[in-house]
Amino acid sequence: MYTDIHFDTIDISRGAPDKEPERQYYFIAKCRQYTQQFFREMGRFPTATVQTFGCQMNARDSEKLTGILKAIGYREEEQEELADFVIFNTCTVRENANQKVYGRLGQIGKIKKSRPHMLIGLCGCMMQEAEEVEKIQKSYRQVDLIFGTHNIFQFAELLYRRLTSRRLVTEVWDGTDQIVEELPAERKYPFKSGVNIMFGCNNFCSYCIVPYVRGRERSREPQDILNEIRQLVSDGVVEIMLLGQNVNSYGKTLDQPMTFAKLLQEIEQIEGLKRIRFMTSHPKDLSEELIDVMAHSHKICRHLHLPIQSGSTRILEKMNRRYTKEQYLSLVSRLKEAIPELSLTTDIIVGFPGETEEDFQETLDVIRKVRYDSAFTFIYSRRTGTPAANMEEQIPQDMIKDRFQRLLTEVQTISSESCCIHEGSTQEVLVESIDSHEEGYVTGRMDNNLLVHFPGIPSMIGTFVRVYLKKCKGFYYIGELVK
Ligand code: 5AD
Ligand code: SF4
């Protein structure tokens, strides 16, 4: 276990070992020399911040980077303008995600002018795109370190290279089949954690850049996953979120293949673990076995994120989603029948090339039939390198905006109705934080992922309590503790 490693006892007078993760432990020890020297010169340790853009995968990667930074001796500083080392963990799934990164990079570049010792690092999905890296190398000279999604595990080694060369270090692999276990990770919450079960995606939905930037699908060994969860539980974690781009195809590429449903059953056995969540599920791979396991489980939460993307079979085919509207609706009815209290959420894209008003009406029809608790709605973004970017019939922006508005109205009306059906009931909630809006209140999360704010005290954080849902406010509740 990396928690047993004493970095200062590692012999750094010799060359670096070839084997992982020992190689990275060695570079963590090397970098510690730098932070200790910083302390001697400045009377304090250097500070760092990892700023995350995008999805839960990136959030978990950021926890890994923060864990390595802490092991090196950095202290956390949330405000990026005050930190000695700022890392942007980027997203590239839609164009506006890229724009946000460039905006922030411009701001931090100005700050660096007055604080020249500052380091700026860039990693994540955007770095897997050669044109973006080229643009940064050319026009954003303030950047010190660039690394890709497959190089996260090498963070200490790359930082060491930067500290000793004083030149921009760039390391971006196109792909890998390597999964390095046993590296430090720092959790944002002491009581809940994300756990990667697989990396990459093999689906190639025609609009999506993810398979190009995250590489081919690779599953972690079940024993590594179970050991990590046991370790987390012994460290106080009660809720885990299993992470993968398509968790339903977990285990297919293992030497000894295993289904996701089977993995869930094994995780369920871990004593002390109270709640299991997972995302994302691809409808085409969601098995009857999984529905059955969910229906009988005491720990798997009654929530499923099941992206539909479009309600039109014609558009779904162009998206390469490999299910029809009817198959999706039939899956939803089987799920609802087996797990009546199941909360469903989804992702929807409007304005995919060739989408007609009739296609859009099909999407609205699915929303009305399924009655999602919430839906993430996206305007189609043309990602260079994806098949959809070259499709004819790209839809004019004003038409997309009009559909997007209509979609939003429909989604909001339905989700506020479907979220409110629990009003007047008492639910078990995991208290997550102090409520930032109302003094004397705390915020808890129900099994179905909905939030409730109620009068409480900070010592409740991380515990389960029973809460009466007094008033529904659309997509959250105001409640009262039940003694
Ligand atoms: N344009 C708009 N939305 C996209 N998504 C993925 N790629 C694109 C794109 N090019 C959305 C999908 C996916 C979610 C994470 O992001 O809905 O489920
Ligand atoms: Fe992208 Fe489709 Fe893979 Fe999800 S399943 S990451 S939308 S290619």
Side-chain angles (χ1 to χ4, degrees):
M1 283 274 140
Y2 74 82
T3 39
D4 304 327
I5 306 281
H6 297 288
F7 294 105
D8 290 332
T9 62
I10 293 176
D11 182 0
I12 48 176
S13 60
R14 297 194 210 170
D18 288 333
K19 201 166 147 261
E20 299 292 0
E22 288 75 10
R23 185 175 173 85
Q24 299 311 315
Y25 297 160
Y26 171 91
F27 281 108
I28 288 174
K30 281 273 199 191
C31 288
R32 281 175 71 84
Q33 289 185 310
Y34 161 78
T35 54
Q36 282 157 9
Q37 188 190 338
F38 190 101
F39 182 82
R40 284 193 295 275
E41 283 171 16
M42 313 287 277
R44 64 171 180 90
F45 281 100
T47 56
T49 179
V50 183
Q51 301 284 321
T52 312
F53 298 81
C55 68
Q56 304 260 4
M57 284 279 188
N58 263 18
R60 182 63 185 150
D61 284 347
S62 291
E63 292 185 344
K64 293 177 186 170
L65 296 173
T66 308
I68 295 171
L69 283 166
K70 282 220 164 156
I72 288 173
Y74 277 92
R75 302 291 187 260
E76 246 182 306
E77 167 57 68
E78 273 179 25
Q79 279 173 276
E80 62 193 61
E81 58 277 13
L82 299 178
D84 300 303
F85 187 8
V86 178
I87 297 133
F88 292 126
N89 188 5
T90 65
C91 169
T92 188
V93 78
R94 286 170 290 275
E95 182 58 31
N96 58 1
N98 290 33
Q99 279 157 3
K100 272 191 218 156
V101 172
Y102 283 118
R104 295 273 289 278
L105 200 51
Q107 283 168 8
I108 204 72
K110 283 191 201 130
I111 294 169
K112 188 171 170 173
K113 287 209 172 100
S114 59
R115 302 180 68 216
H117 78 280
M118 197 175 173
L119 290 178
I120 300 175
L122 283 169
C123 62
C125 294
M126 218 172 117
M127 299 307 115
Q128 293 297 133
E129 295 184 279
E131 317 81 78
E132 304 296 342
V133 171
E134 240 168 73
K135 179 169 160 187
I136 292 160
Q137 287 171 333
K138 240 181 132 178
S139 316
Y140 293 82
R141 293 297 177 100
Q142 65 270 40
V143 175
D144 297 282
L145 184 57
I146 294 175
F147 55 104
T149 54
H150 306 294
N151 310 92
I152 299 249
F153 77 93
Q154 293 178 306
F155 180 43
E157 178 171 353
L158 301 174
L159 176 59
Y160 182 72
R161 245 162 67 191
R162 172 62 188 79
L163 292 172
T164 46
S165 75
R166 298 184 174 267
R167 270 204 232 117
L168 168 67
V169 169
T170 306
E171 189 73 57
V172 181
W173 291 349
D174 282 345
T176 183
D177 49 17
Q178 199 173 0
I179 299 177
V180 179
E181 299 287 346
E182 290 297 323
L183 283 173
E186 177 77 16
R187 291 196 309 280
K188 195 165 166 213
Y189 300 93
F191 52 87
K192 67 171 187 177
S193 179
V195 174
N196 296 108
I197 61 166
M198 59 205 297
F199 303 94
C201 181
N202 281 354
N203 286 315
F204 292 95
C205 301
S206 63
Y207 51 81
C208 186
I209 196 85
V210 169
Y212 307 92
V213 296
R214 288 265 170 187
R216 292 293 64 69
E217 190 177 290
R218 302 169 312 281
S219 294
R220 284 176 74 195
E221 289 295 334
Q223 276 318 321
D224 288 332
I225 298 169
L226 291 165
N227 286 343
E228 179 177 344
I229 299 173
R230 281 190 203 105
Q231 173 70 31
L232 288 167
V233 169
S234 71
D235 204 28
V237 165
V238 287
E239 178 177 308
I240 53 154
M241 166 78 92
L242 305 174
L243 298 171
Q245 303 294 350
N246 177 12
V247 290
N248 302 104
S249 75
Y250 170 79
K252 287 184 183 161
T253 54
L254 290 171
D255 289 342
Q256 287 181 313
M258 180 188 210
T259 63
F260 179 53
K262 190 90 194 66
L263 177 73
L264 282 170
Q265 282 176 305
E266 300 223 352
I267 294 173
E268 175 118 15
Q269 306 300 319
I270 297 177
E271 223 170 290
L273 180 66
K274 299 277 171 52
R275 276 182 175 176
I276 306 169
R277 299 185 186 278
F278 54 83
M279 74 188 309
T280 293
S281 287
H282 195 304
K284 80 173 164 57
D285 294 312
L286 201 147
S287 65
E288 297 303 315
E289 185 195 10
L290 177 66
I291 300 179
D292 191 52
V293 167
M294 283 182 81
H296 293 99
S297 166
H298 298 292
K299 295 187 180 175
I300 301 173
C301 290
R302 287 354 198 181
H303 170 228
L304 190 67
H305 186 63
L306 195 63
I308 170 101
Q309 313 297 3
S310 166
S312 152
T313 298
R314 200 179 70 83
I315 294 295
L316 286 169
E317 198 179 334
K318 289 182 71 173
M319 287 178 162
N320 193 29
R321 292 289 290 176
R322 287 173 276 172
Y323 52 84
T324 62
K325 175 189 181 188
E326 289 70 32
Q327 284 166 337
Y328 183 93
L329 288 174
S330 141
L331 175 61
V332 166
S333 30
R334 277 176 282 137
L335 279 160
K336 284 187 170 175
E337 198 171 308
I339 315 156
E341 65 279 34
L342 184 68
S343 151
L344 283 163
T345 57
T346 200
D347 292 344
I348 301 164
I349 299 175
V350 269
F352 185 83
E355 184 188 73
T356 61
E357 178 61 27
E358 288 72 48
D359 294 317
F360 178 64
Q361 287 300 330
E362 297 271 21
T363 300
L364 293 181
D365 185 47
V366 172
I367 294 168
R368 289 178 194 128
K369 289 198 165 109
V370 179
R371 302 188 63 78
Y372 297 103
D373 274 6
S374 79
F376 297 97
T377 49
F378 304 108
I379 285 181
Y380 167 70
S381 177
R382 195 173 181 174
R383 310 310 290 127
T384 313
T386 62
N390 299 326
M391 287 180 186
E392 283 164 17
E393 302 181 278
Q394 301 281 332
I395 311 289
Q397 281 305 311
D398 52 345
M399 196 183 268
I400 298 186
K401 292 233 166 83
D402 170 64
R403 283 183 198 158
F404 186 73
Q405 271 317 317
R406 285 189 283 151
L407 176 72
L408 215 57
T409 311
E410 192 75 41
V411 160
Q412 283 169 350
T413 313
I414 291 178
S415 67
S416 70
E417 285 167 14
S418 61
C419 288
C420 287
I421 59 171
H422 310 286
E423 195 174 271
S425 70
T426 296
Q427 304 271 339
E428 183 167 68
V429 310
L430 173 57
V431 186
E432 292 198 339
S433 57
I434 293 173
D435 182 2
S436 50
H437 299 293
E438 192 77 46
E439 205 170 320
Y441 276 58
V442 290
T443 302
R445 194 178 294 271
M446 303 179 216
D447 180 86
N448 59 18
N449 214 31
L450 290 173
L451 294 178
V452 52
H453 307 289
F454 59 99
I457 49 174
S459 63
M460 287 176 181
I461 293 172
T463 65
F464 285 93
V465 294
R466 289 175 65 72
V467 176
Y468 172 69
L469 306 179
K470 213 160 68 177
K471 184 96 197 92
C472 179
K473 295 278 189 180
F475 52 94
Y476 65 91
Y477 282 93
I478 299 296
E480 226 169 51
L481 197 66
V482 176
K483 295 273 181 267

